[in-house]
Amino acid sequence: MAKLLQSLTFIDGNTVHSPKDYIYTGSEILPKSDNYPGNIDEIIDCTGLFASRGWVDLRCVSGEPGEEHKESLESLGELLKAGGFTKAVLMPNTHPAIQDKNDIQFLRSKTKNWITDLVINAAATKDCKGDDFTDILDIHQEGVDIFGDGLNPISNPDRLMKVLQYLQKFNGTLFDQSYEPLLALFGQMHEGVVSTRIGMKGIPNLAEEVAVQKNIEILKYAGGKIHFQTISTKGAVESIRKAKNAGLKVSADVSIYQLIFSDEDLLSFDTNFKVMPPFRGKEDREALIEGLKDGTIDAIVSNHQPQDFDAKHMEFDLAHSGMLGLQTFLPSLVKLSKELGWPLLISKITEGPLRILGEKNEKIHQLTVFDPSETWVYDKKSNLSHSTNHPWFGEILQGKVKFVINSDRLVKVNS
Amino acid sequence: MSQLSTRHLLGIKDISPEDIQLIFETADNFKEVLNRPIKKVPSLRDITIANIFFENSTRTRLSFELAEKRLSADVVNFSSSTSSVKKGETLIDTVNNILSMKVDMVVMRHSSPGAPHFLARNITANIVNAGDGTHEHPTQALLDAFSIREKLGDVAGKKIAIIGDILHSRVALSNIFCLQKLGAEVMVCGPTTLIPKHTVSLGVKVEHDVEKALQWCDVANVLRIQLERQQIKYFPSLREYSLYFGINKKMLDRLDKEIVIMHPGPINRGVELNSDVADSEHSIILQQVENGVAVRMAVLYLLAGVK
């Protein structure tokens, strides 16, 4: 089973190591040494290729069950593989929502052949509506430790408090995309200079900042753990930084495309740029980058949200929110690597999210191997999703995942 | 230059001051035509124009229709009350169906900001935006500026106060862009809840005291309270709005100068504007309506020349 990975450039959260030979034993990756006792079954030339511990995505959405035409679990599995992810957290926002034991069993059975380990974020409230609780303890019996309403915030403070309290029985984590819906009412994009120029109802930073502050105060009272998903504002970064410094059990992630695009991209009314939280301004992006650097933000997520052609091919205010994020994840990293460097980016998709999932960073048994230079055309032919909602569709992208390793499996990503 | 720099009129934001001057000069000629005994010219003969109104409109639709007929275009009208939109057909399907009938130009009003931009990416006909939600209403801004030019000789250097519901107004946004391109100073005035938070970024002054705004300006363009576009409460009552933001004759009499009063219509009489102002010698509201036809003739005529 052992494979020799020749001349591989390994990256961890601290450094880009010089190219070396590594041995993948079938259960862990080790630097090659002359006294390796086993047999080498295969030699893989990795010249020019980069690798790191397997990537972890804390947020992606499926269409199945209910909207298989947007994304099926089969296509999502292929996308996660092509995206280089060996572990991914699936949001509960399907039809029906992921909210009982049967749903969990259904997902596990449909994804058992994935190379990517599935982590389920089950709904904390029925149909993700923020009202009645789901059977949280019952669902936990199926191995689920993460609860939250995914794309919907739990905006009722009493409900959020009680979920935080209830989860403490098994040290569970509440994942919440915190914003105050009443302050985002009818909003279509970030409220700022651009929304003013194009006459579009904006979503102020205040909507997110108020909710994050409120939820931190509730956490102080209730105890428990909260993970703030896809934060987008300077104020949210500052609040989470203070909460972390005060020793509260908070963590946070940011969408990769929040670091790539801004509200100025909406000047042309292209519905591909309609996402939630919306693309913010320059000052917010700078704060998010600072938050990544100083550890306030633990993870970068794909926030993969498929929308079919008809859901996007319409008037802006009627179009659905969301952007694909898996196949474009590495090309996005490549763009960001010039500014942020590979070690920081890799830490936010490996060690950072693993910490949130409560996994210890022991031996490496998952690996993502990629070529940061290879270019490819993102088009109908190469697209693995059932949807096409990404503004880069039709463009030449740089960065290609070559293969992923998960325990005893090595899967090549087809060109 | 005798041709516009664009083949669509989607917004004032996208056109140049030279385009605006060309439209004005062309409108001057058409206004002269409108005062002749025979008010029709053959300029757009064999051109078919569809007026597609997904939102209620009386004066804008009539003004466009009249402009089109004065130019001898063939006209088809389509409004949401009679359309298949209510049966669930999408905007793109509705418009494609109409275009299958070989329409050359589309004049569209729609409640969604950017709807005409969406169309422009998907169909080949020339498009005139007749109002898209809270975004732009370019022909209204052009006719407003044309009317100011007619009344005061020039727009450059003039002080224009836009008073009322700025937040929900496409007229305000198009007016701001148009007046600034022509060298005017612009102020917006209204309750804080009806002025977008980032309005100052547009390079305008912001005032909340109507009397101060009137004192500052040469022209007050008073906007209609857009109750139909206010999905939540922005001020306590029409009575209070009228008391603190409405304009009456006594306020004009207290000024030490004469100012021009404009309104894009339809007026909520007794709310934003009292009748003693709307019908006074200060008002050029009816001239705006008359100029609307000439300006729209100019826009249609010029766009038809750009393929």
Side-chain angles (χ1 to χ4, degrees):
Chain A
M1 180 65 222
K3 297 181 194 308
L4 176 64
L5 309 176
Q6 275 183 326
S7 199
L8 181 67
T9 302
F10 193 82
I11 307 169
D12 58 30
N14 299 314
T15 189
V16 178
H17 297 269
S18 305
K20 278 189 201 128
D21 294 348
Y22 292 85
I23 293 172
Y24 169 58
T25 64
S27 59
E28 65 180 316
I29 313 289
L30 302 168
K32 188 193 166 199
S33 63
D34 293 335
N35 52 3
Y36 176 68
N39 295 324
I40 300 289
D41 301 320
E42 187 181 355
I43 297 172
I44 302 174
D45 180 12
C46 295
T47 308
L49 300 185
F50 286 13
S52 74
R53 180 186 286 274
W55 297 351
V56 182
D57 185 14
L58 288 183
R59 187 179 167 91
C60 63
V61 178
S62 168
E64 186 175 0
E67 292 185 315
E68 291 80 356
H69 61 290
K70 295 187 179 190
E71 206 74 271
S72 64
L73 287 165
E74 189 185 350
S75 63
L76 185 63
E78 289 301 306
L79 282 161
L80 285 164
K81 181 176 77 181
F85 293 99
T86 51
K87 195 180 289 291
V89 179
L90 188 63
M91 293 298 106
N93 309 87
T94 46
H95 303 280
I98 306 306
Q99 56 188 1
D100 63 33
K101 282 170 91 167
N102 290 337
D103 298 329
I104 308 298
Q105 286 161 6
F106 167 78
L107 285 180
R108 294 220 191 283
S109 111
K110 291 279 278 191
T111 59
K112 63 176 187 274
N113 293 326
W114 282 10
I115 185 74
T116 308
D117 292 344
L118 174 72
V119 180
I120 296 171
N121 171 346
T125 70
K126 284 180 183 153
D127 299 323
C128 302
K129 284 183 174 166
D131 296 324
D132 297 332
F133 299 121
T134 53
D135 294 340
I136 289 176
L137 294 179
D138 207 28
I139 297 169
H140 171 64
Q141 292 304 311
E142 291 295 319
V144 176
D145 293 323
I146 297 170
F147 288 81
D149 286 350
L151 306 182
N152 302 334
I154 301 180
S155 60
N156 178 332
D158 175 70
R159 199 65 71 239
L160 185 110
M161 179 181 74
K162 294 208 167 71
V163 171
L164 279 171
Q165 290 172 327
Y166 207 69
L167 293 179
Q168 289 171 43
K169 182 174 165 62
F170 55 89
N171 200 25
T173 307
L174 171 64
F175 273 36
D176 192 61
Q177 185 193 336
S178 298
Y179 66 92
E180 174 48 58
L182 287 174
L183 288 172
L185 212 54
F186 311 115
Q188 301 294 327
M189 63 177 291
H190 170 61
E191 181 190 88
V193 176
V194 177
S195 68
T196 308
R197 283 184 70 79
I198 64 174
M200 196 78 84
K201 181 86 170 82
I203 299 170
N205 281 18
L206 183 71
E208 180 174 294
E209 291 164 358
V210 161
V212 168
Q213 283 176 22
K214 178 188 75 177
N215 292 347
I216 287 171
E217 290 302 316
I218 294 171
L219 182 79
K220 274 188 205 166
Y221 173 86
K225 287 191 291 184
I226 187 163
H227 174 67
F228 290 102
Q229 294 183 285
T230 62
I231 60 167
S232 64
T233 62
K234 184 181 176 187
V237 175
E238 286 168 358
S239 295
I240 293 164
R241 181 178 292 129
K242 276 187 201 155
K244 281 194 164 185
N245 289 340
L248 292 171
K249 289 179 181 170
V250 297
S251 52
D253 68 48
V254 61
S255 291
I256 191 150
Y257 42 64
Q258 191 68 244
L259 304 171
I260 300 273
F261 302 113
S262 77
D263 61 342
E264 298 210 353
D265 290 302
L266 282 92
L267 278 167
S268 63
F269 298 97
D270 183 346
T271 56
N272 278 320
F273 291 102
K274 185 174 177 178
V275 293
M276 189 66 199
F279 293 130
R280 302 286 183 184
K282 193 177 163 209
E283 204 182 334
D284 292 305
R285 184 184 181 277
E286 283 170 6
L288 292 169
I289 297 290
E290 200 46 49
L292 284 166
K293 286 181 179 167
D294 72 9
T296 303
I297 301 174
D298 306 85
I300 298 173
V301 300
S302 78
N303 202 11
H304 176 82
Q305 286 182 45
Q307 295 293 356
D308 60 290
F309 178 78
D310 291 334
K312 284 287 190 185
H313 193 61
M314 57 168 67
E315 301 88 313
F316 194 94
D317 52 355
L318 301 178
H320 294 212
S321 290
M323 187 183 277
L324 299 179
L326 290 170
Q327 265 184 293
T328 53
F329 195 86
L330 174 55
S332 300
L333 287 179
V334 170
K335 279 181 196 286
L336 290 170
S337 67
K338 295 173 185 88
E339 180 185 357
L340 301 178
W342 281 108
L344 179 72
L345 293 171
I346 290 297
S347 74
K348 301 299 176 183
I349 54 175
T350 55
E351 297 143 25
L354 283 172
R355 207 166 42 238
I356 292 162
L357 296 178
E359 295 193 19
K360 293 195 179 98
N361 298 323
E362 291 171 345
K363 62 183 184 182
I364 299 173
H365 61 97
Q366 295 176 323
L367 199 74
T368 301
V369 181
F370 61 100
D371 184 341
S373 306
E374 185 176 331
T375 56
W376 55 285
V377 182
Y378 184 35
D379 60 6
K380 245 181 189 174
K381 206 173 153 194
S382 60
N383 181 31
L384 297 169
S385 173
H386 291 183
S387 299
T388 59
N389 53 306
H390 198 289
W392 291 347
F393 201 76
E395 293 184 13
I396 296 170
L397 305 183
Q398 185 184 334
K400 190 104 173 67
V401 172
K402 303 305 284 183
F403 57 93
V404 287
I405 293 172
N406 190 352
S407 298
D408 58 348
R409 292 173 69 193
L410 183 152
V411 178
K412 290 188 178 163
V413 177
N414 294 330
S415 296
Chain B
M1 190 182 98
S2 59
Q3 189 165 298
L4 293 176
S5 63
T6 172
R7 59 185 298 270
H8 307 294
L9 180 62
L10 304 179
I12 299 293
K13 216 176 19 253
D14 317 311
I15 62 174
S16 66
E18 292 73 27
D19 287 328
I20 298 173
Q21 289 301 347
L22 177 62
I23 292 168
F24 285 179
E25 285 158 21
T26 313
D28 284 335
N29 295 331
F30 283 127
K31 189 157 182 186
E32 187 264 317
V33 169
L34 291 174
N35 287 313
R36 288 183 199 160
I38 296 170
K39 301 175 175 62
K40 200 160 179 166
V41 288
S43 312
L44 295 191
R45 206 163 53 195
D46 296 330
I47 297 282
T48 305
I49 304 177
N51 297 314
I52 305 178
F53 280 68
F54 293 99
E55 254 191 348
N56 288 337
S57 164
T58 306
R59 63 194 62 214
T60 304
R61 191 169 57 77
L62 282 178
S63 180
F64 267 110
E65 192 172 341
L66 198 57
E68 291 151 7
K69 287 179 173 168
R70 295 277 188 252
L71 291 166
S72 304
D74 294 321
V75 179
V76 288
N77 289 310
F78 180 88
S79 65
S80 62
S81 56
T82 57
S83 78
S84 43
V85 172
K86 287 188 175 168
K87 296 174 197 161
E89 192 170 74
T90 62
L91 168 63
I92 192 75
D93 284 338
T94 305
V95 175
N96 275 336
N97 275 289
I98 295 166
L99 289 180
S100 301
M101 300 168 201
K102 311 290 179 215
V103 166
D104 303 293
M105 297 178 83
V106 172
V107 175
M108 185 175 83
R109 169 166 290 189
H110 199 284
S111 60
S112 298
H117 301 69
F118 170 74
L119 265 199
R121 281 197 293 270
N122 289 287
I123 67 174
T124 53
N126 303 91
I127 294 163
V128 181
N129 179 5
D132 60 331
T134 49
H135 180 216
E136 285 224 40
H137 190 351
T139 57
Q140 181 69 45
L142 289 167
L143 76 90
D144 287 347
F146 184 82
S147 301
I148 293 169
R149 168 182 175 265
E150 186 178 70
K151 179 74 178 176
L152 301 178
D154 199 356
V155 178
K158 300 295 181 293
K159 293 177 173 176
I160 321 291
I162 305 173
I163 300 170
D165 179 357
I166 310 299
L167 185 68
H168 297 95
S169 176
R170 49 197 172 210
V171 175
L173 205 50
S174 282
N175 258 273
I176 290 168
F177 295 138
C178 188
L179 293 167
Q180 288 179 335
K181 286 188 180 192
L182 295 173
E185 270 190 86
V186 184
M187 170 187 281
V188 296
C189 176
T192 318
T193 50
L194 288 177
I195 294 183
K197 186 171 167 56
H198 299 272
T199 296
V200 175
S201 67
L202 299 174
V204 299
K205 294 179 191 299
V206 176
E207 176 61 65
H208 303 296
D209 183 323
V210 173
E211 297 234 23
K212 283 185 185 165
L214 294 176
Q215 192 64 52
W216 175 84
C217 73
D218 301 309
V219 178
N221 194 351
V222 187
L223 301 180
R224 175 185 158 76
I225 283 293
Q226 301 277 358
L227 289 173
E228 66 276 17
R229 262 177 245 150
Q230 294 180 8
Q231 294 145 310
I232 48 176
K233 278 269 185 185
Y234 289 88
F235 54 87
S237 64
L238 286 177
R239 176 189 162 275
E240 179 154 309
Y241 184 87
S242 166
L243 278 175
Y244 291 91
F245 298 97
I247 298 172
N248 58 48
K249 185 73 164 53
K250 279 184 195 161
M251 294 162 86
L252 297 189
D253 290 343
R254 282 200 288 272
L255 301 176
D256 53 11
K257 59 178 178 180
E258 293 239 321
I259 64 166
V260 177
I261 298 289
M262 302 173 71
H263 192 293
I267 306 168
N268 292 306
R269 284 178 184 260
V271 180
E272 67 265 7
L273 215 52
N274 271 15
S275 290
D276 57 8
V277 176
D279 303 332
S280 72
E281 69 281 5
H282 297 280
S283 161
I284 59 165
I285 294 171
L286 292 176
Q287 286 94 309
Q288 287 175 264
V289 176
E290 183 186 346
N291 289 336
V293 178
V295 166
R296 289 180 174 118
M297 286 172 77
V299 167
L300 294 165
Y301 170 77
L302 290 167
L303 285 179
V306 190
K307 289 297 170 194

